[in-house]
Amino acid sequence: NAGVTQTPKFQVLKTGQSMTLQCAQDMNHNSMYWYRQDPGMGLRLIYYSASEGTTDKGEVPNGYNVSRLNKREFSLRLESAAPSQTSVYFCASRTAGRAYNDQFFGPGTRLTVL
Amino acid sequence: QKEVEQNSGPLSVPEGAIASLNCTYSDRGSQSFFWYRQYSGKSPELIMFIYSNGDKEDGRFTAQLNKASQYVSLLIRDSQPSDSATYLCAAEMNRDDKIIFGKGTRLHILP
């Protein structure tokens, strides 16, 4: 049981390059999330998916796209990276519903855009 | 203004004392509330979850929820140096599983 896995762990991009961050969970969770964390800013929600086949915008969706490939996988794509997207990106998953206190985070991807 | 607000700190508390962390939220439709602990360079770790008004206790941790006043708090009793971390408050918005975080409060436990 690996929990939530993210690849890659580190990435350096040049402005304008594209890349996809991968996330997978093996806990049969319905909901999956992408957050970014910048110093002093806490976690900001980029996109989330409450179930397979659905995705919704969070607080800071501009410049990103997502795909809920299946129940296990939720990817985040940067089409044209900008220095403002330098951040630590966390993927998380959870069983939907208020009774469930089981949101788990992946180890994070540290992205630098030059 | 963020939908979930926390004092960024740092909050310094002597070892063995009670640390009190507070959080307010703006959306009255919020249903569930979470407290996470995050050590520097690590992922957030869920430590408390509450969705009913009142107190919920788990070991040295107590979460308190007051929906009428729209605040959530976390008490840490018998604070230890290992409790030094950033504590993140989060709320689930409008039952649609959208979870929004505050900016976090840095807690320092003084030996």
Side-chain angles (χ1 to χ4, degrees):
Chain A
N1 188 339
V4 180
T5 58
Q6 291 183 237
T7 55
K9 288 187 169 55
F10 301 93
Q11 184 70 48
V12 178
L13 293 177
K14 294 181 180 178
T15 297
Q17 288 184 317
S18 63
M19 79 162 295
T20 299
L21 281 64
Q22 306 286 355
C23 174
Q25 53 92 7
D26 62 1
M27 296 172 282
N28 201 36
H29 285 168
N30 298 315
S31 300
M32 297 186 73
Y33 307 80
W34 278 106
Y35 294 91
R36 60 177 289 174
Q37 187 170 38
D38 304 295
M41 296 297 292
L43 290 164
R44 291 185 291 171
L45 181 63
I46 305 171
Y47 273 93
Y48 68 107
S49 170
S51 63
E52 185 179 352
T54 67
T55 61
D56 287 283
K57 294 179 180 179
E59 302 170 278
V60 289
N62 291 345
Y64 305 95
N65 286 300
V66 291
S67 295
R68 182 75 183 264
L69 305 169
N70 47 55
K71 191 171 186 179
R72 291 187 62 251
E73 298 173 288
F74 189 37
S75 63
L76 178 72
R77 182 159 178 84
L78 288 70
E79 291 291 351
S80 179
S84 60
Q85 295 178 305
T86 293
S87 189
V88 180
Y89 291 85
F90 287 104
C91 177
S93 70
R94 177 174 181 247
T95 301
R98 75 170 192 171
Y100 294 95
N101 59 340
D102 60 353
Q103 190 183 42
F104 293 104
F105 281 79
T109 294
R110 283 152 180 77
L111 175 67
T112 300
V113 183
L114 302 175
Chain B
Q1 182 184 1
K2 273 187 73 80
E3 294 168 279
V4 178
E5 295 279 355
Q6 295 180 256
N7 187 321
S8 61
L11 175 66
S12 296
V13 174
E15 183 175 356
I18 295 175
S20 178
L21 303 159
N22 299 313
C23 171
T24 59
Y25 60 95
S26 60
D27 184 356
R28 283 198 173 274
S30 298
Q31 295 292 312
S32 304
F33 304 89
F34 308 79
W35 282 100
Y36 294 79
R37 176 176 62 200
Q38 186 177 28
Y39 294 113
S40 181
K42 301 296 186 182
S43 305
E45 172 193 13
L46 181 64
I47 55 172
M48 289 296 288
F49 166 78
I50 187 167
Y51 60 85
S52 298
N53 269 330
D55 295 359
K56 179 180 179 181
E57 186 174 319
D58 184 359
R60 296 187 297 113
F61 298 100
T62 298
Q64 299 174 315
L65 174 60
N66 184 324
K67 290 187 177 180
S69 300
Q70 294 177 245
Y71 84 78
V72 193
S73 63
L74 178 70
L75 301 177
I76 306 174
R77 290 181 298 282
D78 188 23
S79 297
Q80 303 297 309
S82 59
D83 294 326
S84 296
T86 296
Y87 288 80
L88 299 160
C89 173
E92 180 183 357
M93 302 284 150
N94 284 324
R95 303 189 186 191
D96 65 355
D97 230 38
K98 177 181 180 181
I99 299 178
I100 300 295
F101 283 75
K103 293 184 178 181
T105 299
R106 287 179 293 139
L107 175 66
H108 292 160
I109 304 302
L110 305 172

